[in-house]
Amino acid sequence: MGESMNTTDLEKSTDYDRLVTKFGLSYLRNIMKRIKNPHTWIRREIIFAHRDFDKILDLREKGKRFSVVSGRGPSNKIHLGHLGVFSVVKWIQDEYDAEVYIPLSDDEKYVFRKINGLRDALYYAYDNALDIAALGYKTKITHFFVSTKYPPLYEYSVRLSRYTTFSTIKAIFGFTHDTNPGAIFYPIVQSAHILLPTIEKGLPVVVPIAIDQDPYIRLTRDIAERLDYFKPAALHSKFLSGLDGKPMSASKPETAIFTDDDNKTIKRKIWKALTGGQGTLAKQRKFGGNPDKCVVYEWFRAYSLRSDDDLKIIYNECKSGDRFCGQCKKELTKDIITILKEHRKKKMELINKIDQFFLHDVDMDIINKIAEHLEKIVVNANE
Ligand code: SF4
């Protein structure tokens, strides 16, 4: 949620224990026994903390249903980091029969000046929806909506606005007198996104977020409490590294791999990735590498087809100097090319069905443009 907002006092810290303490979160490992068939991101502790997910499990064990809300700011293509998050959301849907809501916040991208016009965001909104739906979501219990195309959202936002203050929002988001009023109102719209399943269907909600976004959820929880709604629960992930070792960002294309990157681009990007290798084969043989500080190894854990046993082998071979970075990069490239080839096929199959996932009419002219582009990339990708 709120990808383009700037946090003021939130550290992009990897001292996760400190953030868990500071935000008053709980570790997922403490409730792992209650989570059957955990997603690889949960098993591998990429998603590692939570707020009230135990309460969601309590409700589910009593036969009650719940919803997952996971938003996407449509100002760019979808990359592997986004796909990873939405594969967790899909796992929640499959595992707990959860109803999924995916707000596509064209309004957010517009007011924060990440796109020039709302129609540009609409193209990305539908394109992103196709990428997300291609992960295998169930039509009847998955609902996409573009913020400005779903009028009830405005009513919900206005209703919620009475339950917070400008100073609360200012303290969280760091707005100033120069901030445009659309941006100031947007946090309330985001709260309406999150509470929409509660408002419309009385469903409790869980939201997967990166750990630094926890203050945004707290705003919505405060509003929910005042309205006597179930306070939205959250699942917190660690920061995802880009190929250069810095945070992955769609606005820095070389740090991420997008679903429409062709094979040559994927190879080129991974070849430049930051590793924990020693720099020379002789040193690597002698001292071994450092997989704990290696983006390629992190990506094996997050995005590859590798089992836990495979990962152990890679880890141990690296440490003992029996594995070299070139080999890892080749294997990771092969995995990602295989994953994306299959992904694009599924995306293409959804072109004529994507409207079934939306809470409002879909602009078929835009969908047709996406289909034309997709046909080209399917051909180019394999060259
Ligand atoms: Fe990373 Fe593989 Fe190099 Fe080890 S050998 S540092 S795991 S790329």
Side-chain angles (χ1 to χ4, degrees), residues 274-278 284 288-298 300 314-315 317-319 322-329:
L274 186 81
T275 71
Q278 295 288 355
Q284 181 87 356
N290 188 350
D292 295 312
K293 291 199 171 156
C294 174
V295 170
V296 175
Y297 183 71
E298 187 186 325
F300 268 129
I314 293 173
Y315 189 92
E317 284 181 353
C318 172
K319 290 285 254 191
D322 292 327
R323 174 172 272 271
F324 303 108
C325 300
Q327 181 188 351
C328 278
K329 287 176 175 175

Side-chain angles (χ1 to χ4, degrees), residues 134-371:
L135 294 170
Y137 281 89
K138 294 172 184 151
T139 325
K140 284 190 183 150
I141 52 169
T142 307
H143 314 290
F144 288 90
F145 61 96
V146 177
S147 277
T148 60
K149 302 288 173 202
Y150 188 59
L153 186 68
Y154 179 64
E155 182 198 323
Y156 306 151
S157 306
V158 170
R159 271 161 56 187
L160 298 185
S161 69
R162 289 213 328 206
Y163 298 90
T164 190
T165 61
F166 175 58
S167 43
T168 302
I169 289 172
K170 189 166 170 269
I172 296 172
F173 298 100
F175 295 146
T176 67
H177 286 290
D178 296 326
T179 306
N180 87 53
I184 293 166
F185 189 62
Y186 182 72
I188 303 298
V189 178
Q190 184 167 278
S191 292
H193 286 159
I194 296 170
L195 292 174
L196 193 140
T198 309
I199 296 169
E200 292 194 347
K201 296 189 177 172
L203 291 171
V205 167
V206 61
V207 189
I209 50 167
I211 190 164
D212 61 328
Q213 295 174 340
D214 189 69
Y216 310 150
I217 290 292
R218 291 209 299 272
L219 169 74
T220 309
R221 284 170 61 87
D222 287 348
I223 293 173
E225 189 168 28
R226 286 179 195 163
L227 282 155
D228 220 11
Y229 290 156
F230 180 91
K231 290 196 278 180
L235 288 167
H236 299 79
S237 67
K238 294 178 180 170
F239 304 122
L240 301 169
S241 298
L243 288 164
D244 60 353
K246 293 178 186 148
M248 191 187 299
S249 166
S251 57
K252 292 187 216 137
E254 291 300 306
T255 67
I257 287 179
F258 297 85
T259 60
D260 64 354
D261 278 350
D262 61 29
N263 294 354
K264 277 186 205 151
T265 307
I266 296 170
K267 273 182 210 159
R268 190 195 73 237
K269 286 181 176 179
I270 293 180
W271 199 251
K272 288 195 293 183
L274 186 81
T275 71
Q278 295 288 355
T280 66
L281 293 184
K283 276 192 187 168
Q284 181 87 356
R285 255 188 218 109
K286 190 170 177 193
F287 302 112
N290 188 350
D292 295 312
K293 291 199 171 156
C294 174
V295 170
V296 175
Y297 183 71
E298 187 186 325
W299 277 44
F300 268 129
R301 295 179 78 241
Y303 312 118
S304 75
L305 302 165
R306 306 294 154 150
S307 66
D308 291 353
D309 286 344
D310 289 344
L311 287 175
K312 258 185 224 147
I313 292 169
I314 293 173
Y315 189 92
N316 291 334
E317 284 181 353
C318 172
K319 290 285 254 191
S320 62
D322 292 327
R323 174 172 272 271
F324 303 108
C325 300
Q327 181 188 351
C328 278
K329 287 176 175 175
K330 269 190 202 150
E331 290 176 9
L332 181 66
T333 303
K334 197 170 163 218
D335 279 9
I336 290 177
I337 286 175
T338 306
I339 291 167
L340 289 183
K341 191 175 173 193
E342 187 58 23
H343 175 81
R344 285 189 282 258
K345 207 171 108 203
K346 290 184 180 149
K347 184 175 174 183
M348 196 63 173
E349 286 165 8
L350 280 170
I351 284 283
N352 294 321
K353 300 182 203 153
I354 193 66
D355 56 325
Q356 296 169 20
F357 289 88
F358 272 82
L359 290 176
H360 52 75
D361 289 344
V362 165
D363 185 330
M364 288 317 288
D365 287 346
I366 296 179
I367 299 287
N368 291 336
K369 267 190 206 151
I370 294 170

